[in-house]
Amino acid sequence: MGFDTIIANGRVATAADTYTSDVAISDGKISALGENLPRENATKVIDAAGRYVLPGGIDVHTHLDMPFGGTTSADDFETGTRAAAFGGTTTLIDFAIQYKGQTLRTAFDAWMQKAAGKAVCDYAFHCIITDLADAQLDEMNALVRDGVTSFKLFMAYPGVFMLDDASIFRALRTTSKNGGLVCMHAENGGAIDVIVQQALAEGKKAPKYHALTRPTTAEAEAVSRAIALAEMAGAPLYIVHLSCNEALEKVREARDRGLPVYAETCPQYLYLSLDNFDAPGFEGAKYVFTPPLREKWHQEKLWNGLKTDHLQVVSTDHCPFCFKEQKELGLDDFTKIPNGGPGIEHRMSLIYSGGVAGGRFSVNRFVELVSTTPAKLFGLYPRKGTIAVGSDADLVIFDPNRKHTISAKTHHMRVDYSMFEGIQVTGMPDVVLSRGKVVVDGDKFTGRAGAGEFLKRALYSQP
Ligand code: URP
Ligand code: ZN
Ligand code: ZN
C-alpha cells in the first residue's frame, strides 16, 4: 500500500495512550499506525524521533472578524487560522451572531461568507442567539440538521446580547429535544450594569474598573441559575470561559449530582490576574475581557479543576483588538474598551507548559483537554480529536523540550500586543499538518488560504 506521508518514530499521545509508532497518511486521513511502516512506500517521510505526535488542537471558542463595540476583532479567518496553526490548533469553532430581528440563518450565512476562501484549517460555527421568538426555536432545529449543533446564549450585556430566563429556558428545552448543546456566557448582566453605572458616576473610569465591577458572585450566580434552568429543561449545558473558583464550585456540585454539565476555562485565567491591571497608564486595557481577570489564587483552583475533570476543556475566547486605535476607544471610559484578548496561537504551549511540564497532569490529559473532549462535546469525534486509522490527519509534531518566550514581536496574530508577553513556555509545535498537508514547518507557513473546510458537526456526545 502506498502512503502520501509517514511520520516516523514519534511518541504518539492520545487521550488514552502514549506509544512509539509511525503514523501513515493517505488522502488526508490516517491510514496506518505501527512501528516500522515501509518507508519505501511513502512519498514523504517526516522524522519525529524524540518528539510527540499529537492530534491537532481544537479551539471551540474564537471570535474572528467579529464586530464589537464599534470596531471589529483584528484577526480575520485567514490571519486567525494561520496563527492557530502556528500554535498547533487545526480546527476551530467560531461564533455566528444573530443580531436582533434577524433569522439564525442570516447569521450562519454571514459567517460562512467571512470564512470562505480564507481559512487555512477546518472550522465550524456555534450560533449566538440574541433574539428568540417561536420562529427561532424552529430555526434551531434546522441549524442542528445543517451541522450547527451548538448555540451560545448570554446572561450578560443587557440590551445587546442578553436573553431573559424564559428565553434561555425555551432554548434549553429545544436542545433537550434536538440533541444540540447550549454554551452559556454566565454572568449576571443586570446586577453588573448597576455596579458599572455606580462606578462611572463615582468617576472610576480606568480599565481596572471593568474587572472590579464584575464580581465573582455575579459569575457564580449565573452559572448556578443556568444549571438550574438546564436541569429543569433536561438539557446538557456547557459553561464558556469560566474564570473563578466560585463558579467552578457550582459546576463541580452539578457534576457530582450526575448532571451533564461541562465547562471550559481559558489560558488567561490560568496565567493572568488582577495584578495585570497594575501595568502603567492605559495598558490595563490589554486585559479587558469578560469574565474579567480574578485574584491570583483562583489560578491554582482552575488548574486543579482541569486535573480533576471538574473542568473539561481549554479554549481561548480569542477576540483580539489592537491596543492602538481599538482598545484606545475606551481611553476615557472603560465601558467603551472593546472586550476581548488575543490567545489563539499559544493555547497548546501554555497548557502543555503549565500542565504537563509543570507536573500538574499527564500528556494524555493535556490531549483530552485541548482536542479530544472538545471534539466529543461538539460533534467532531472521531474525525477530529484523536489519532486513529480513518481520522483526519490533523497532526502536530510537538517538541516537549523546546522553550519559547511569547512576544508580540514574534507572534503571528494580527494584533499589536500579547497578553502573555515575556512568559516562557516549555513545549512547542515544530510541524503541523491539516488533513495530511504540512501547514507549518518550523517558522515557515506552508498552508493556503481557503484550504480549510466548513465542518458539518454531529450532535453533542458525552465525553
Ligand atoms: O470579552 C470577551 N470575552 N469577548 C468576547 C465575547 C464573549 O463574551 O465571549
Ligand atoms: Zn462570552
Ligand atoms: Zn467569547
Side-chain angles (χ1 to χ4, degrees), residues 191-193 195-197 199-200 204 208-215 218 292 334:
I192 286 170
D193 251 26
I195 303 170
V196 166
Q197 292 316 317
L200 291 178
K204 296 172 174 164
K208 70 175 175 197
Y209 291 106
H210 172 84
L212 298 178
T213 53
R214 307 183 87 89
F334 72 85

Coordinates of all heavy atoms in Angstrom, one line a residue, residues 191-193 195-197 199-200 204 208-215 218 292 334:
A191 N -27.2 42.9 37.4 CA -26.6 43.4 38.6 C -25.2 44.1 38.2 O -24.9 45.2 38.7 CB -26.3 42.2 39.5
I192 N -24.5 43.5 37.3 CA -23.2 44.1 36.8 C -23.5 45.5 36.3 O -22.8 46.5 36.6 CB -22.5 43.2 35.8 CG1 -21.9 42.0 36.5 CG2 -21.5 44.0 35.0 CD1 -21.4 40.9 35.5
D193 N -24.5 45.7 35.5 CA -24.8 47.0 34.9 C -25.0 48.1 36.0 O -24.6 49.2 35.9 CB -26.0 47.0 34.0 CG -25.6 47.1 32.6 OD1 -24.4 46.8 32.3 OD2 -26.4 47.6 31.7
I195 N -23.8 48.0 39.0 CA -22.4 48.3 39.6 C -21.6 49.2 38.7 O -20.9 50.1 39.1 CB -21.7 47.0 40.0 CG1 -22.5 46.1 40.9 CG2 -20.4 47.3 40.6 CD1 -22.0 44.7 41.1
V196 N -21.7 48.9 37.4 CA -20.9 49.7 36.4 C -21.4 51.2 36.4 O -20.6 52.1 36.5 CB -21.1 49.1 35.0 CG1 -20.6 50.0 33.9 CG2 -20.3 47.8 34.9
Q197 N -22.7 51.4 36.5 CA -23.2 52.7 36.4 C -22.8 53.5 37.7 O -22.4 54.7 37.6 CB -24.8 52.8 36.3 CG -25.3 52.2 35.0 CD -24.6 52.8 33.8 OE1 -24.2 54.0 33.7 NE2 -24.3 51.9 32.8
A199 N -20.0 52.9 39.4 CA -18.6 53.2 39.2 C -18.4 54.5 38.3 O -17.6 55.4 38.7 CB -17.9 52.0 38.7
L200 N -19.1 54.5 37.2 CA -18.9 55.6 36.3 C -19.3 56.9 37.0 O -18.6 58.0 36.9 CB -19.8 55.4 35.1 CG -19.3 54.3 34.1 CD1 -20.3 54.2 32.9 CD2 -17.9 54.5 33.6
K204 N -14.9 56.4 38.4 CA -14.0 55.3 38.2 C -14.0 54.8 36.8 O -14.9 54.0 36.5 CB -14.4 54.2 39.2 CG -14.2 54.7 40.7 CD -14.8 53.7 41.6 CE -14.5 54.1 43.1 NZ -15.4 53.4 44.0
K208 N -9.1 49.1 35.0 CA -9.2 48.1 36.0 C -10.7 48.0 36.6 O -11.1 47.0 37.1 CB -8.3 48.3 37.2 CG -8.6 49.6 38.0 CD -7.6 49.6 39.2 CE -7.9 51.0 39.9 NZ -6.8 51.4 40.8
Y209 N -11.4 49.1 36.4 CA -12.8 49.0 36.9 C -13.7 48.1 36.0 O -14.8 47.7 36.5 CB -13.4 50.5 37.0 CG -12.7 51.2 38.1 CD1 -11.8 52.2 37.8 CD2 -12.9 50.9 39.4 CE1 -11.1 52.9 38.8 CE2 -12.2 51.5 40.4 CZ -11.3 52.5 40.1 OH -10.6 53.1 41.1
H210 N -13.3 47.8 34.8 CA -14.0 46.7 34.1 C -14.0 45.5 35.0 O -15.1 44.8 35.1 CB -13.4 46.5 32.8 CG -14.0 45.3 32.1 ND1 -15.1 45.4 31.3 CD2 -13.6 44.0 32.1 CE1 -15.4 44.2 30.9 NE2 -14.5 43.3 31.3
A211 N -12.9 45.1 35.5 CA -12.8 43.9 36.3 C -13.5 44.1 37.7 O -14.2 43.2 38.1 CB -11.3 43.5 36.5
L212 N -13.3 45.2 38.3 CA -13.8 45.4 39.6 C -15.3 45.6 39.7 O -15.9 45.5 40.8 CB -13.1 46.6 40.3 CG -11.5 46.5 40.4 CD1 -10.9 47.7 41.0 CD2 -11.2 45.2 41.2
T213 N -15.9 45.8 38.6 CA -17.4 45.9 38.5 C -18.1 44.6 38.1 O -19.3 44.6 37.9 CB -17.8 47.0 37.6 OG1 -17.2 46.8 36.3 CG2 -17.4 48.4 38.1
R214 N -17.3 43.5 38.0 CA -17.9 42.2 37.6 C -17.5 41.2 38.6 O -16.5 40.4 38.4 CB -17.4 41.8 36.2 CG -17.6 42.9 35.1 CD -17.2 42.5 33.8 NE -18.2 41.8 33.1 CZ -19.1 42.4 32.3 NH1 -19.1 43.7 32.1 NH2 -20.1 41.6 31.7
P215 N -18.1 41.2 39.8 CA -17.6 40.3 40.9 C -17.8 38.8 40.6 O -18.6 38.4 39.7 CB -18.6 40.7 42.1 CG -19.6 41.5 41.5 CD -19.2 42.0 40.2
A218 N -21.3 37.4 40.7 CA -22.1 37.6 39.5 C -21.9 36.4 38.5 O -22.9 36.0 37.9 CB -21.8 38.9 38.8
P292 N -13.9 38.9 33.8 CA -12.6 39.5 33.9 C -11.5 38.7 34.6 O -11.9 37.6 35.1 CB -12.9 40.7 34.8 CG -14.0 40.3 35.7 CD -14.8 39.3 34.8
F334 N -13.9 52.9 30.7 CA -13.6 51.5 30.5 C -14.8 50.8 29.8 O -14.6 49.8 29.1 CB -13.3 50.8 31.8 CG -14.5 50.6 32.8 CD1 -15.3 49.6 32.6 CD2 -14.7 51.6 33.8 CE1 -16.4 49.4 33.5 CE2 -15.8 51.4 34.6 CZ -16.7 50.4 34.5

